[in-house]
Amino acid sequence: AQSVTQLDSQVPVFEEAPVELRCNYSSSVSVYLFWYVQYPNQGLQLLLKYLSGSTLVKGINGFEAEFNKSQTSFHLRKPSVHISDTAEYFCAVSETGGYNKLIFGAGTRLAVHP
Amino acid sequence: GAVVSQHPSRVICKSGTSVKIECRSLDFQATTMFWYRQFPKQSLMLMATSNEGSKATYEQGVEKDKFLINHASLTLSTLTVTSAHPEDSSFYICSAGQGTGELFFGEGSRLTVL
């Protein structure tokens, strides 16, 4: 079975500052990794995904993440945040393969202040 | 990306009644869909895996007689909350994949039981 740990429940940051949201996973098999964003009262939007290939993954809205197999991590980064990035961010993991369920971390609330 | 649609987006019902939520894959066929539940300010918890033409697989602790799942076609899965009570009030989200490893999420359905 897989599990995901998001180490920070809340991350406050000032506008235009860089940010890193941490995610560690546990699995005995190969995994796919994902980051999703959720705005209040809305569904999930995929930010980026790692399925295979390059360990540095670039996503939408200027976000990127790096898959580190040895440290079982998939931290999300953005060099300069905007007020509009304020939202809940979820890291998720699934077994490799076509139709496997996603297991989510507890989420990190990113609060960008002016 | 592929589109998954949920209906209704919001529903309010009286305690003791049953509520049906639909999840449709609009531009692809989904042999497997997943149902998640999200309490306020919490993460998404997998409830069950919906398999087309067969019984759903429920996660530990989820009452299968309470949350009835029917996956009658390759584009439609339904979740029926039977004899709903206030503690069933939650945000329910479905997802489906195309076999690439990525899951696509519906917009979510907010259930309020009075």
Side-chain angles (χ1 to χ4, degrees), chain A residues 32 34 36 38 41-44 46 49 51 90 94 97-102 104-106, chain B residues 31 34 36 38 42-44 46 59 91 93 97-103 105-107 110:
Chain A
Y32 294 148
F34 305 84
Y36 288 87
Q38 186 179 37
N41 297 311
Q42 294 187 28
L44 297 179
L46 179 67
K49 61 190 176 190
L51 302 182
F90 293 99
S94 73
Y99 296 97
N100 293 308
K101 59 189 177 186
L102 275 179
F104 285 85
Chain B
T31 56
F34 302 95
Y36 290 84
Q38 185 180 32
Q42 294 189 28
S43 186
L44 283 79
L46 180 66
E59 296 297 302
F91 194 51
I93 308 176
Q98 294 179 287
T100 61
E102 179 179 351
L103 291 183
F105 285 81
E107 311 93 324
R110 185 163 302 282

Side-chain angles (χ1 to χ4, degrees), chain B residues 11-27:
Chain B
V11 56
I12 300 173
C13 70
K14 293 182 178 180
S15 185
T17 61
S18 294
V19 174
K20 180 184 286 187
I21 300 170
E22 293 185 347
C23 178
R24 294 181 183 274
S25 55
L26 296 186
D27 50 0

Side-chain angles (χ1 to χ4, degrees), chain A residues 99, chain B residues 25-33 71 73-75 96-99:
Chain A
Y99 296 97
Chain B
S25 55
L26 296 186
D27 50 0
F28 68 102
Q29 294 182 332
T31 56
T32 302
M33 292 184 173
H71 195 151
S73 77
L74 287 171
T75 59
Q98 294 179 287

Side-chain angles (χ1 to χ4, degrees), chain A residues 32-91:
Chain A
Y32 294 148
L33 292 156
F34 305 84
W35 275 99
Y36 288 87
V37 61
Q38 186 179 37
Y39 298 99
N41 297 311
Q42 294 187 28
L44 297 179
Q45 181 180 12
L46 179 67
L47 279 178
L48 46 79
K49 61 190 176 190
Y50 171 79
L51 302 182
S52 65
S54 173
T55 57
L56 182 61
V57 180
K58 293 190 182 297
I60 62 172
N61 301 341
F63 285 94
E64 64 179 33
E66 186 158 19
F67 171 50
N68 188 320
K69 188 174 182 179
S70 63
Q71 296 186 7
T72 61
S73 68
F74 191 55
H75 301 332
L76 181 70
R77 302 185 184 96
K78 186 169 182 178
S80 176
V81 295
H82 304 289
I83 296 288
S84 59
D85 292 322
T86 295
E88 191 80 22
Y89 291 80
F90 293 99
C91 181

Side-chain angles (χ1 to χ4, degrees), chain B residues 72-85:
Chain B
S73 77
L74 287 171
T75 59
L76 174 63
S77 175
T78 60
L79 168 68
T80 301
V81 183
T82 63
S83 186
H85 288 94

